[in-house]
Amino acid sequence: MKRRLLAVVCVTASLLTACGALPGSGAHRRTVTVWLMKDSASKEFLKRFTEDFEHKHSDLRLDIRIQEWTGIGEKVQAALKRDDKAAPDVIEVGNTQVAQYVDGGGLSDMTLESMRDWGMNHWLPGLAEPGRFGTHQFGVPWYAANRVVIYRKDLFAGAGIKQPPKTREQWLTDTERLNTGGRQGIYLAGQDWYTLSGFIWDEGGDLAEESGSGNWEGTLGTPAALRGMDFYRRLQALGEGPVDADEEHPPQSGVFAKGRVAQIVAVPGLVQAIERTNPDLKDKIGFFPVPGKTAAKPGAVFTGGSDLVVPQNTDDRNGATAVIAALAGAKWQTELARTMNYVPNKTTLADAVAGEEGVAAMAAGAAQGRATPSSPQWAAVEADNPIKDCMTKILGGADPATEARRASGRITDILAADGT
């Protein structure tokens, strides 16, 4: 941790109070440098957090520096190798990015604090699992967001559907009923592989798995993964989503806003864009978790979000862990979730967002959340993305088993690369 004198010399009683230099408050505060990503938290939230944290930790001062997502991987990797006092002490990283930083050996092991102090047994699995390697925890969950079903309440009521479906089979039945009269039962792009992943996980499969020897293999060709793909095919057919494009081409918010679509699968925040485009839909839109195989629990979903990590090169681990303890603790988790419409990092905090329909649906799904395989090379898979090509071919009528084996082979090859 960097030790710095405060830049301002306190010469009056009022300045002494502001600088925290009154008796017992500590004349020299140590600075904790925190890198957070742009738009992860509002300026107002960060101001409130900083004031509260510095009031409770009179020996510490926060220096929060906002980072852009573009190029952040290279910037973090460089920071983890620095040995000067300007290096960050706490860094927010995407939950699926933790693996590449652990692979480089630059992160501190946070297992002890996670078990002893931070209640890791209640963390959302989609945030906790990507930050865990073997029995060691390197990434501490901060916040989550995941897909739900965004639907038209008026169209459901008009079709005689009194409540949202809770099972996948009922979802198919209801969607088929809605898919009539020039209306799409659901708009599901053919290459929405995040949504497909949830169906595969529900069936007990995965996109790739690590063998006992430490090698990774693509597993789209397993019976479980093929069952997940078959459900996706049946659901996708109840609308007019393009088989050769993902959910951003065209943006599905714009498609939904035209008024002919009963459902999409997306994060709740997308409704803001929908209502800006078509204000007439305000108060007509609802949310429910992606249904599961049974009504006992929602379906699995890909969990996006962020973890907090501590570089090994910090020179004040105690200060860094104090920041994480506060950001990941119940008080500021609740505040962040309500301010930013996120899912809190623990299942035990779901009640904090129960009053927000979209966030509550996210929280219910997040309890079944998963993340992409924790290989350091997974980012390269997404860049090439043989999963998308596989989906397009299967939806176009190609043999599922053949295409899945081909895509799995490509995934295996990419994960076998050393990244150099």
Side-chain angles (χ1 to χ4, degrees):
M1 176 61 54
K2 287 66 64 187
R3 295 179 179 270
R4 308 171 186 158
L5 290 174
L6 289 176
V8 179
V9 177
C10 302
V11 294
T12 68
S14 60
L15 286 176
L16 284 171
T17 301
C19 293
L22 289 174
S25 66
H28 306 304
R29 291 191 174 199
R30 308 191 316 273
T31 297
V32 184
T33 301
V34 182
W35 283 10
L36 298 180
M37 301 309 300
K38 183 180 180 181
D39 298 328
S40 287
S42 67
K43 292 180 180 179
E44 293 76 14
F45 172 89
L46 293 178
K47 181 176 183 293
R48 293 194 303 271
F49 174 78
T50 299
E51 291 175 350
D52 182 79
F53 181 86
E54 291 184 347
H55 176 73
K56 293 177 178 177
H57 298 82
S58 60
D59 58 335
L60 298 176
R61 170 184 173 273
L62 288 184
D63 179 12
I64 297 177
R65 303 183 182 185
I66 304 302
Q67 309 296 317
E68 298 283 347
W69 281 108
T70 302
I72 190 60
E74 294 80 3
K75 190 170 184 178
V76 171
Q77 293 283 20
L80 297 179
K81 297 175 182 178
R82 293 174 67 167
D83 57 4
D84 58 76
K85 294 184 178 181
D89 303 298
V90 177
I91 306 176
E92 174 195 349
V93 300
N95 61 324
T96 61
Q97 296 176 336
V98 180
Q100 60 183 294
Y101 303 135
V102 173
D103 190 57
L107 299 186
S108 295
D109 188 338
M110 309 302 292
T111 308
L112 177 60
E113 294 87 350
S114 299
M115 294 178 62
R116 183 188 62 198
D117 305 321
W118 297 339
M120 65 184 298
N121 291 336
H122 298 293
W123 283 344
L124 297 178
L127 294 182
E129 290 173 1
R132 184 181 306 133
F133 294 86
T135 59
H136 299 275
Q137 191 76 39
F138 294 89
V140 177
W142 190 28
Y143 67 84
N146 52 267
R147 287 160 177 77
V148 301
V149 182
I150 299 173
Y151 76 104
R152 287 276 300 276
K153 293 180 178 180
D154 56 330
L155 297 183
F156 269 55
I161 302 171
K162 297 181 179 180
Q163 61 182 11
K166 292 187 176 181
T167 68
R168 291 198 332 199
E169 287 304 315
Q170 187 61 50
W171 192 18
L172 284 175
T173 299
D174 291 346
T175 303
E176 186 172 10
R177 183 184 300 181
L178 291 159
N179 191 45
T180 185
R183 181 177 59 226
Q184 297 184 57
I186 190 168
Y187 179 85
L188 186 59
Q191 294 183 349
D192 186 354
W193 69 277
Y194 287 117
T195 296
L196 169 66
S197 299
F199 301 153
I200 290 175
W201 292 327
D202 266 348
E203 294 290 347
D206 210 334
L207 308 176
E209 294 181 352
E210 188 176 14
S211 67
S213 60
N215 297 318
W216 286 86
E217 295 183 355
T219 53
L220 293 179
T222 62
L226 290 172
R227 290 194 300 271
M229 182 66 219
D230 186 62
F231 179 80
Y232 189 98
R233 177 190 60 78
R234 295 166 64 195
L235 185 65
Q236 196 272 342
L238 299 176
E240 301 171 11
V243 300
D244 59 350
D246 62 25
E247 64 275 16
E248 292 299 325
H249 301 89
Q252 60 180 340
S253 61
V255 178
F256 191 90
K258 292 178 180 179
R260 293 182 54 249
V261 172
Q263 305 170 87
I264 55 174
V265 181
V267 294
L270 202 67
V271 169
Q272 297 177 16
I274 293 170
E275 292 179 347
R276 282 197 301 268
T277 304
N278 186 353
D280 290 340
L281 292 181
K282 189 174 178 60
D283 300 324
K284 296 179 180 179
I285 296 175
F287 312 85
F288 60 89
V290 173
K293 293 188 69 176
T294 71
K297 61 183 180 181
V301 289
F302 170 76
T303 301
S306 289
D307 283 11
L308 300 170
V309 299
V310 175
Q312 280 190 342
N313 59 6
T314 180
D315 56 9
D316 190 340
R317 181 187 172 98
N318 289 338
T321 55
V323 172
I324 291 183
L327 283 172
K331 175 181 177 178
W332 290 104
Q333 277 293 298
T334 300
E335 182 76 7
L336 184 67
R338 291 174 176 170
T339 301
M340 303 299 296
N341 289 333
Y342 291 146
V343 179
N345 63 0
K346 289 182 179 179
T347 57
T348 51
L349 295 175
D351 287 346
V353 294
E356 299 290 337
E357 184 183 359
V359 185
M362 270 203 304
Q368 315 303 323
R370 296 278 298 273
T372 51
S374 58
S375 165
Q377 293 300 108
W378 186 257
V381 173
E382 293 191 21
D384 183 84
N385 218 320
I387 306 171
K388 286 186 173 184
D389 185 55
C390 174
M391 295 172 72
T392 292
K393 290 179 177 177
I394 292 174
L395 294 174
D399 177 63
T402 299
E403 296 304 327
R405 284 196 300 270
R406 183 178 290 118
S408 291
R410 179 60 185 151
I411 292 173
T412 299
D413 291 343
I414 296 172
L415 295 181
D418 62 9
T420 61

